[in-house]
């Protein structure tokens, strides 16, 4: 079955700097890669997603890249702000309506 | 638009007791998921419903966990009897159909003592 590995498990960056979180997946048939943000006491919230027919997607300060050959995908947050502090999960799936396999999460802290 | 509603928010029970969680998905969402999130880990899918039918329950410990989706809307997840390792947050999620965003509820935090 699909396995998703995520690194790093914790990340601390200075406010205004960039943060990068990396994931790898095992099943080459996976074609949907969402990223979720989870704040304390809340459920995960989708922040951006990418499909296998696209190499990069950007939404304001957030961007995701996908390398299908290497089975890598990454989340990039630029100009980080205090409200970016949360746990981020990458995930992989056949499609958004099927079983979604999550990574182990990255706790991002933004230092003032 | 109202979000995914879950109750209770917190539950503490003794091992070997039973417990039930309730989920009301977003109106009109055909697909409903139950996930288990152990502290420090990513969510793990327990069961997926399409309307009132089960699509995937391969990770559900069926000797102690059960779930149903009444009339294709609300859903309940039950654990009987509970074990210490069942302590986790149980998340419910739903989406409209294929290729649409899945929305999560706030979860129920279960502590088994």
């Amino acid at each position: 079955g699909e396995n998703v590995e995520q690194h790093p498990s914790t990340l601390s960056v200075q406010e205004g700097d960039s943060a990068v979180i990396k994931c790898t997946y095992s099943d080459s048939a996976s074609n949907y890669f969402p990223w979720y943000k989870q704040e304390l006491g809340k459920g995960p919230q989708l922040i951006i997603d990418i499909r296998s027919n696209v190499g990069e997607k950007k939404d304001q300060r957030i961007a995701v890249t996908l390398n299908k050959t290497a089975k890598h995908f990454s989340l990039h947050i630029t100009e980080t702000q205090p409200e970016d502090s949360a746990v981020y999960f990458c995930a992989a799936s056949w499609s958004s309506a099927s079983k979604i396999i999550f990574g182990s999460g990255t706790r991002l802290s933004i230092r003032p | 638009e109202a979000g995914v509603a879950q109750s209770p928010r917190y539950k503490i029970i003794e091992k070997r007791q039973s417990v039930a969680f309730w989920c009301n998905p977003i109106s009109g969402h055909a697909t409903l998921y139950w996930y288990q999130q152990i502290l420090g880990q990513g969510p793990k899918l327990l069961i997926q419903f399409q309307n009132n039918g089960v699509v995937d329950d391969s990770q559900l410990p069926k000797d102690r966990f059960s779930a149903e989706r009444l009339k294709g809307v609300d859903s309940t997840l039950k654990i009987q009897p509970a074990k210490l390792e069942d302590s986790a947050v149980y998340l419910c999620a739903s989406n409209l159909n294929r290729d649409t965003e899945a929305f999560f509820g706030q979860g129920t935090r279960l502590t088994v003592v």
Side-chain angles (χ1 to χ4, degrees):
Chain A
E2 176 66 279
N3 182 50
V4 178
E5 294 191 359
Q6 182 172 349
H7 301 280
S9 57
T10 60
L11 180 60
S12 178
V13 301
Q14 194 76 34
E15 182 178 350
D17 287 351
S18 296
V20 179
I21 302 171
K22 299 182 179 181
C23 291
T24 60
Y25 61 98
S26 60
D27 191 340
S28 57
S30 293
N31 61 0
Y32 176 67
F33 306 92
W35 285 88
Y36 288 86
K37 177 182 180 182
Q38 187 172 29
E39 297 176 322
L40 194 62
K42 297 183 179 180
Q45 181 178 14
L46 182 74
I47 54 172
I48 194 168
D49 56 15
I50 190 168
R51 301 185 189 280
S52 58
N53 58 346
V54 175
E56 184 174 356
K57 183 177 180 180
K58 189 174 182 180
D59 182 4
Q60 299 182 342
R61 298 186 294 108
I62 296 174
V64 59
T65 59
L66 172 64
N67 182 329
K68 287 177 55 181
T69 303
K71 298 182 191 174
H72 291 173
F73 57 116
S74 300
L75 177 72
H76 304 253
I77 305 174
T78 59
E79 301 174 10
T80 53
Q81 300 171 3
E83 54 264 36
D84 294 330
S85 293
V87 179
Y88 291 81
F89 293 97
C90 62
S93 173
W94 284 91
S95 77
S96 63
S98 68
K99 185 171 167 178
I100 300 174
I101 306 299
F102 283 81
S104 54
T106 296
R107 182 174 298 278
L108 175 63
S109 301
I110 308 301
R111 303 191 304 271
Chain B
E1 172 179 81
V4 175
Q6 289 188 247
S7 67
R9 285 297 311 279
Y10 306 94
K11 191 73 176 179
I12 301 174
I13 62 172
E14 296 183 349
K15 59 184 179 183
R16 290 186 291 273
Q17 286 187 325
S18 62
V19 64
F21 312 126
W22 174 81
C23 173
N24 180 233
I26 293 173
S27 178
H29 280 196
T31 308
L32 185 147
Y33 313 80
W34 282 102
Y35 282 85
Q36 180 192 58
Q37 186 175 23
I38 292 173
L39 186 65
Q41 298 182 18
K44 183 185 83 171
L45 182 68
L46 293 175
I47 189 166
Q48 176 186 351
F49 292 93
Q50 181 72 21
N51 295 310
N52 60 353
V54 176
V55 174
D56 186 335
D57 65 355
S58 58
Q59 299 296 306
L60 188 73
K62 298 180 186 62
D63 58 334
R64 298 184 301 107
F65 286 64
S66 64
E68 61 179 0
R69 190 175 183 192
L70 305 173
K71 299 180 181 179
V73 182
D74 292 5
S75 178
T76 56
L77 176 69
K78 297 179 181 178
I79 307 175
Q80 182 180 10
K83 293 185 176 181
L84 295 176
E85 58 261 36
D86 297 332
S87 294
V89 174
Y90 291 85
L91 295 162
C92 179
S94 69
N95 60 5
L96 184 61
N97 50 38
R98 189 182 181 90
D99 294 334
T100 61
E101 175 182 353
F103 293 85
F104 282 81
Q106 289 188 296
T108 296
R109 181 177 296 278
L110 173 67
T111 302
V112 182
V113 297

